[in-house]
Amino acid sequence: MMSEPLSPRHILAVTDESESQLALRSAMVLAEAHGAALDVFACVEMPNDMGIIGRLAGADPDTLAEKLVDQRRVRLRDRLDKVFPDRRIEPHVARGKTFLEVIRHVSDIGCDFVVKAAEPLTGVHRFLFASTDQHLLRKCPCPVWLQTPTAPVAPKRILAAIDLDIWDAAEPETLTALNRRVVDAARGIANAPDAEVIVLHAWDAIGEGIVWAFATGTDARLSADRYVNEVLGARQRAMTKFVASVDHANASGPRLVPHLMRGTPERVIEEQSRLLTADVVVMGTVARTGVSGIFIGNTAENIINSLGCPVLAVKPEGFVSPVLTG
């Protein structure tokens, strides 16, 4: 099963009132590289007790809410005019839960890519992906790129984490297609000169201890080593085949650098993102029993929560957001 290349055609930049406007800058670079349309979006989350606030303020709650939205729109326009004096940017400002409104807006206008600044969870230097971001990573139907404050606008070194264990997958065709989409997405954002995509697979030889324990004779260690080497050889062949197939399907773009590391995905991806100084990590969500309404897998979520760099989360082809079906 072949997936469609992930070339953004309509990008949604979820903006804030920061001076850097990093997410919007990244979205602009991406849109220009792909000739894509760009929409700018912001959301005002109302307090749960707007009824009480309106009563004490002597104002209708809906009228008060609209005034808050208008104020946000004016402030945002002023900010965007200062940061981008040569552009006229008209943001769409909604009210409600940010992740819900983003997903609905994506569906309403047909966006196929979302760029957003990651929200700080704790402390001034810790940009773990907080509640709104987690909801988007789990439920947004299109790829979501969460930028951190010190990240480059145009990433140069992209780490694309793939899973080559298709023989152990419940849906091997879905996993293979998702691997392709991860690499396609990584190539899609690799717009810096001399950019490269490191295709990372974390592998392990989980039966090594069993071979060691049950091997007969005095060559237990040799048998265990042979087992590890055979597993590694199989993964190397799978990686070579995969990279060749991706290059054959799309010969243009940045070069792909295969990278195999032994260990659990949780440890390997976090560790390699640091050691290789990745500008962004691209990952896929995990399909369990079909792609409709799936959530990001526990392993992927644990990895994302441990990263110190931006993340781009890619859904399997055919993913349907539970927000849009509930």
Side-chain angles (χ1 to χ4, degrees):
M1 181 173 67
M2 296 289 290
S3 63
E4 292 296 323
L6 284 183
S7 179
R9 306 308 306 166
H10 198 157
I11 300 168
L12 184 67
V14 182
T15 191
D16 51 31
E17 297 183 71
S18 67
E19 292 186 6
S20 66
Q21 291 294 321
L22 178 62
L24 181 51
R25 291 181 186 274
S26 297
M28 286 177 172
V29 170
L30 190 64
E32 290 172 359
H34 293 276
L38 176 65
D39 271 37
V40 180
F41 182 91
C43 188
V44 180
E45 296 200 7
M46 300 296 167
N48 294 328
D49 54 358
M50 279 296 291
I52 298 175
I53 294 172
R55 175 168 53 82
L56 295 177
D60 175 71
D62 284 337
T63 302
L64 184 58
E66 286 303 317
K67 288 182 178 179
L68 291 173
V69 169
D70 289 341
Q71 288 176 359
R72 175 69 181 277
R73 184 180 292 110
V74 170
R75 291 199 310 271
L76 188 54
R77 281 174 178 162
D78 289 343
R79 170 61 62 189
L80 295 178
D81 286 345
K82 291 177 181 177
V83 178
F84 306 101
D86 298 330
R87 293 176 178 259
R88 178 60 180 170
I89 301 173
E90 183 60 38
H92 175 86
V93 182
R95 62 169 170 159
K97 286 288 185 183
T98 300
F99 80 91
L100 290 174
E101 297 308 317
V102 167
I103 292 172
R104 288 167 182 159
H105 196 70
V106 162
S107 176
D108 288 344
I109 67 173
C111 289
D112 56 8
F113 208 100
V114 170
V115 186
K116 179 184 177 298
E119 297 179 350
L121 185 62
T122 57
V124 294
H125 299 298
R126 180 57 169 159
F127 276 75
L128 194 65
F129 302 114
S131 176
T132 294
D133 296 337
Q134 292 285 8
H135 280 297
L136 286 174
L137 292 172
R138 293 169 182 167
K139 303 169 187 176
C140 187
C142 65
V144 176
W145 182 8
L146 295 175
Q147 276 283 41
T148 52
T150 58
V153 170
K156 182 176 181 180
R157 177 168 291 180
I158 298 96
L159 190 64
I162 64 170
D163 184 357
L164 294 172
D165 290 334
I166 58 173
W167 47 82
D168 191 39
E171 300 174 1
E173 289 187 349
T174 299
L175 181 58
T176 298
L178 181 57
N179 286 336
R180 290 179 178 275
R181 288 170 69 81
V182 166
V183 174
D184 281 346
R187 277 182 152 172
I189 64 172
N191 298 313
D194 302 323
E196 63 180 9
V197 174
I198 301 168
V199 184
L200 174 66
H201 171 59
W203 68 279
D204 210 347
I206 60 176
E208 182 181 8
I210 298 175
V211 175
W212 176 267
F214 290 95
T216 58
T218 59
D219 61 347
R221 178 71 269 169
L222 182 61
S223 296
D225 289 344
R226 185 178 299 118
Y227 164 75
V228 172
N229 289 333
E230 287 187 13
V231 171
L232 175 57
R235 302 305 171 87
Q236 289 173 330
R237 291 190 293 274
M239 175 67 84
T240 299
K241 181 180 179 180
F242 172 76
V243 170
S245 69
V246 174
D247 269 338
H248 178 73
N250 182 11
S252 62
R255 69 188 184 106
L256 303 181
V257 182
H259 198 57
L260 291 166
M261 290 296 297
R262 184 175 181 180
T264 63
E266 291 94 332
R267 180 183 65 81
V268 167
I269 295 173
E270 186 278 330
E271 184 178 79
Q272 292 303 305
S273 70
R274 286 188 292 103
L275 294 177
L276 299 173
T277 60
D279 293 322
V280 59
V281 172
V282 185
M283 294 182 57
T285 56
V286 180
R288 294 173 180 171
T289 56
V291 298
S292 180
I294 65 168
F295 286 77
I296 197 167
N298 289 336
T299 296
E301 196 159 272
N302 290 339
I303 294 167
I304 287 170
N305 284 338
S306 71
L307 293 175
C309 66
V311 64
L312 170 55
V314 181
K315 302 293 192 304
E317 191 170 8
F319 173 84
V320 179
S321 172
V323 169
L324 304 174
T325 59

